Amino acid sequence: MAQERAVLNQLQAAGYEAYFVGGCVRDGLLGRPVHDWDITTSALPEQVMKVFPKCVPTGEKHGTVTVLMEGESFEVTTFRSDGVYLDSRHPERVTFVPNLREDLQRRDFTINAMAMDLAGNVIDPFGGRADLERRVIRCVGDPETRFREDALRMLRAIRFSAQLGFSIAPETLAAIKTCAANCRHLSAERVRDEMGKTLLSDRPDAAAQMADLHLLSAVGIQRVKPCELASLPKDRAVRWAGFFRACPEANWQTLRLDKKTGEIASRAAQIAFTCKTRLDWKKLISREGGDTARCAAALTGDTETVSEILSSGECLNLAQLAVSGKDFPELSGKAVGERLARLLDHVLEHPEDNKKEILLKQ
Ligand code: ATP
Ligand code: MG
């Protein structure tokens, strides 16, 4: 038995209700790959922990226990409702509830508010299946109320529409326009995660739509130029670089991107289109390193040139130069560095000259 089924089975055998819920039901019905199985149950967290010897109380306050089974992990969450939200971000308190319907009711969109039992029966009180067929993102309940509870849902609406190629129901979109200003309270990390998933989807330009709808103010972004990111490879740094080109006001630190991705993407966005010739690319690799150069080349379409240079064996940095500081005992201090830099410039243009006897005469 697949592990996820075993988790449901064991909860049921212990006398509790248990269902697959949310993204896995949605993606399963769409025939898309399921990347994680979320499970909802009538069992309280301490009861879940008694059923499974190996588990971690990852979010006990929210009723979530991560169950570990043969190297896989499953999030098991007690049926709950989310109480009132006072700050557009967090429920004041969560309440465990006795039935599945109330748990489904707290979920954001109809397509995310379905559950499935072990026999494959779909529990769908809000018309999620019909919306899957119509290819529509629609809030569960009154959209304005739901967006005022948690402003992130507005970004999630755009993100799911980008990932699935769905439209947004007219009243849901109208509510986004009305409630957009509430997004200014969101944490940069949550906004970044939704932007990142959107950028890696088949419709990355939806990230620009987020800005047009004024949903990105928490990360200091007001405007994004029209862009065509879909032709770029689905690589995190490359898609962010494409976004940075379309949005010079975006800042990777404000977005709390990791340093490596942030530096590579923003630098690549600045310099990519300054390269015209093979020599320009060589100089760029030499100055900025291979990762940034590859990212920049993905933006301009010059990936073959850059791969060819990187595998050519030609000298690209001081370490590969046929001479070093020791070869110039007559020089000291800054003069050594300047001489080597000049020789590297020469060798970048004339790779055949990367020989000690030639360079010493330069
Ligand atoms: P994916 O993991 O593919 O991005 P998902 O639907 O599993 O999609 P998660 O963010 O993992 O999305 O959340 C799991 C489920 O929890 C969702 O399907 C939805 O039912 C519910 N959910 C998540 N975030 C919210 C939210 N902000 N408001 C209401 N319900 C939410
Ligand atoms: Mg998920």
Side-chain angles (χ1 to χ4, degrees):
M1 187 185 294
Q3 300 309 322
E4 65 274 7
R5 295 179 63 79
V7 176
L8 241 61
N9 211 13
Q10 289 186 34
L11 284 164
Q12 285 183 357
Y16 304 109
E17 283 182 66
Y19 304 87
F20 299 120
V21 71
C24 59
V25 178
R26 176 197 70 222
D27 290 340
L29 290 170
L30 285 171
R32 291 168 68 95
V34 169
H35 58 83
D36 43 37
W37 296 90
D38 290 330
I39 291 161
T40 187
T41 180
S42 60
L44 295 168
E46 60 269 23
Q47 295 171 323
V48 175
M49 289 191 276
K50 281 201 191 118
V51 175
F52 299 98
K54 277 210 264 173
C55 61
V56 192
T58 31
E60 223 175 339
K61 220 178 91 199
H62 294 106
T64 305
V65 173
T66 301
V67 170
L68 306 167
M69 216 182 249
E70 315 219 344
E72 284 186 73
S73 68
F74 303 92
E75 289 217 331
V76 179
T77 305
T78 307
F79 293 163
R80 64 168 221 237
S81 79
D82 282 351
V84 286
Y85 291 67
L86 296 181
D87 61 355
S88 296
R89 282 175 294 183
H90 305 109
E92 286 300 292
R93 61 188 148 80
V94 310
T95 319
F96 297 133
V97 294
N99 66 69
L100 174 64
R101 191 195 148 96
E102 270 192 70
D103 180 87
L104 294 176
Q105 195 161 7
R106 73 170 168 94
R107 294 173 183 274
D108 47 8
F109 305 113
T110 59
I111 59 166
N112 289 346
M114 291 183 278
M116 190 188 281
D117 67 14
L118 264 183
N121 299 307
V122 178
I123 297 92
D124 174 23
F126 305 104
R129 267 188 120 147
D131 283 341
L132 277 186
E133 266 155 43
R134 281 191 285 254
R135 304 171 64 80
V136 170
I137 310 288
R138 183 193 318 277
C139 282
V140 173
D142 172 57
E144 273 195 37
T145 309
R146 303 312 308 285
F147 292 146
R148 290 196 196 288
E149 286 172 354
D150 181 1
L152 190 77
R153 292 173 186 153
M154 296 183 254
L155 289 157
R156 287 172 58 88
I158 311 292
R159 188 257 288 188
F160 284 118
S161 79
Q163 286 180 322
L164 303 173
F166 283 20
S167 63
I168 298 179
E171 61 287 4
T172 297
L173 186 59
I176 292 178
K177 290 178 180 162
T178 309
C179 302
N182 285 31
C183 285
R184 69 182 181 276
H185 303 298
L186 291 169
S187 76
E189 288 81 357
R190 293 178 91 199
V191 175
R192 172 207 62 203
D193 286 349
E194 295 305 322
M195 291 177 74
K197 288 179 183 177
T198 303
L199 287 172
L200 280 175
S201 74
D202 286 344
R203 293 161 197 80
D205 296 353
Q209 192 194 355
M210 290 175 168
D212 292 340
L213 288 164
H214 311 291
L215 306 183
L216 301 181
S217 52
V219 290
I221 295 173
Q222 316 299 336
R223 240 177 44 79
V224 180
K225 287 186 254 170
C227 44
E228 279 187 29
L229 305 177
S231 55
L232 298 177
K234 275 191 185 174
D235 171 275
R236 224 165 82 78
V238 173
R239 289 280 171 103
W240 274 109
F243 181 81
F244 288 147
R245 242 186 86 67
C247 183
E249 67 186 352
N251 174 299
W252 69 264
Q253 279 129 328
T254 310
L255 280 158
R256 308 269 200 280
L257 277 180
D258 64 283
K259 190 167 187 288
K260 184 160 187 259
T261 309
E263 285 182 347
I264 289 176
S266 55
R267 190 76 188 123
Q270 282 168 352
I271 56 182
F273 289 84
T274 61
C275 292
K276 300 280 177 276
T277 63
R278 184 176 185 278
L279 180 60
D280 292 340
W281 282 109
K282 279 188 76 174
K283 288 181 178 168
L284 186 135
I285 296 169
S286 174
R287 268 187 285 116
E288 311 281 343
D291 289 342
T292 302
R294 265 189 288 263
C295 183
L299 292 184
T300 62
D302 288 301
T303 42
E304 275 179 33
T305 307
V306 167
S307 304
E308 179 271 313
I309 295 169
L310 287 169
S311 60
S312 66
E314 292 177 20
C315 169
L316 296 166
N317 53 46
L318 289 177
Q320 294 170 318
L321 205 58
V323 290
S324 72
K326 284 196 241 89
D327 297 306
F328 301 99
E330 73 282 13
L331 300 178
S332 63
K334 251 174 79 180
V336 182
E338 282 168 4
R339 170 70 65 89
L340 292 174
R342 198 166 55 71
L343 290 173
L344 177 59
D345 274 347
H346 175 84
V347 166
L348 287 171
E349 268 184 73
H350 304 282
E352 66 284 2
D353 285 0
N354 192 23
K355 299 193 177 71
K356 199 170 201 162
E357 61 279 15
I358 299 180
L359 295 182
L360 289 176
K361 279 190 248 145
Q362 278 290 315

